[in-house]
């Protein structure tokens, strides 16, 4: 099989020699995620791997069946991994970062005297618990457009 890159419409360019194999989500995985979804859709619809390879990966499996099958299998395995494990990592990373950011704002408001200090020795643990409660109640949600000032305003209303 020749080394080549294939542009899949406006979805993504596939380098037919490289399939991410890292144990963590890579930038390449994020870029290829729409292709992973399509591969999973075609697989669950019972489409033949050869048809998927022609349609989605733009490779003729009759030209080099073994290489085409290896490429298809590697994309299918990675797509399943992304949907079962990788996506959880992405979501938990975002939620953890959001929680830490809000905890920082909450603790800063306590230090500034804007919020009364709770009757506990472990402010950090208390702050994390309160943020989890607020997110569980949908009072606070991870939002890239939420400013620090707006977040503090929400916290001041709650405490």
């Amino acid at each position: 099989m020749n080394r080549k890159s294939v542009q899949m419409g406006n979805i993504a360019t596939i380098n037919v020699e490289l399939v991410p194999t890292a144990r963590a989500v890579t930038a390449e995985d994020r870029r290829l995620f729409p292709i992973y979804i399509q591969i999973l859709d075609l697989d669950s619809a019972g489409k033949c791997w050869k048809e998927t390879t022609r349609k989605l990966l733009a490779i003729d499996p009759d030209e080099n069946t073994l290489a085409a099958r290896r490429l298809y299998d590697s994309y299918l395995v990675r797509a399943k991994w992304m949907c079962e494990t990788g996506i959880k990592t992405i979501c938990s990373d975002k939620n953890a970062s959001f929680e830490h950011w809000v905890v920082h704002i909450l603790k800063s408001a306590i230090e500034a005297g804007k919020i009364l200090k709770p009757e506990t020795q472990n402010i950090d643990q208390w702050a994390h618990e309160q943020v989890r409660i607020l997110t569980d109640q949908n009072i606070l949600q991870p939002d890239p457009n939420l400013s620090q000032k707006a977040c503090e305003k929400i916290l001041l209303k709650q405490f």
Side-chain angles (χ1 to χ4, degrees):
M1 186 182 309
N2 296 332
R3 288 184 187 206
K4 63 179 180 175
S5 292
V6 179
Q7 177 67 37
M8 298 308 302
N10 59 0
I11 299 172
T13 301
I14 299 172
N15 182 331
V16 297
E17 295 296 315
L18 300 174
V19 178
T21 57
R23 298 180 80 184
V25 177
T26 66
E28 186 73 355
D29 284 319
R30 292 172 194 269
R31 190 181 70 76
L32 292 172
F33 196 71
I35 291 170
Y36 294 155
I37 295 298
Q38 288 187 10
I39 286 173
L40 290 172
D41 284 346
L42 292 168
D43 182 63
S44 67
K47 299 295 181 185
C48 173
W49 74 270
K50 287 183 177 185
E51 183 181 340
T52 300
T53 304
R54 275 189 197 94
K55 179 180 179 179
L56 193 58
L57 302 179
I59 297 167
D60 182 1
D62 297 327
E63 183 182 307
N64 187 336
T65 304
L66 186 58
R69 183 62 194 232
R70 270 195 219 128
L71 184 67
Y72 169 81
D73 287 344
S74 65
Y75 269 89
L76 183 60
V77 165
R78 192 61 174 188
K80 287 178 180 179
W81 179 86
M82 274 297 292
C83 288
E84 293 166 5
T85 303
I87 200 74
K88 291 176 191 170
T89 304
I90 292 169
C91 292
S92 66
D93 287 351
K94 286 181 182 176
N95 290 338
S97 298
F98 177 76
E99 181 179 320
H100 288 290
W101 179 70
V102 176
V103 164
H104 171 73
I105 294 169
L106 180 55
K107 288 170 53 180
S108 296
I110 291 169
E111 290 169 10
K114 295 178 181 179
I115 295 175
L116 291 176
K117 184 178 177 184
E119 300 284 330
T120 181
Q121 294 291 347
N122 192 332
I123 297 290
D124 195 57
Q125 182 180 2
W126 174 85
H128 278 278
E129 288 171 4
Q130 296 306 309
V131 170
R132 284 187 211 114
I133 290 167
L134 294 174
T135 53
D136 288 346
Q137 295 174 347
N138 291 323
I139 294 168
L140 277 170
Q141 289 299 312
D143 180 356
N145 298 319
L146 182 65
S147 70
Q148 184 168 342
K149 190 172 184 173
C151 183
E152 185 179 273
K153 201 175 197 178
I154 293 168
L155 293 171
L156 291 174
K157 284 182 184 178
Q158 298 303 312
F159 300 101

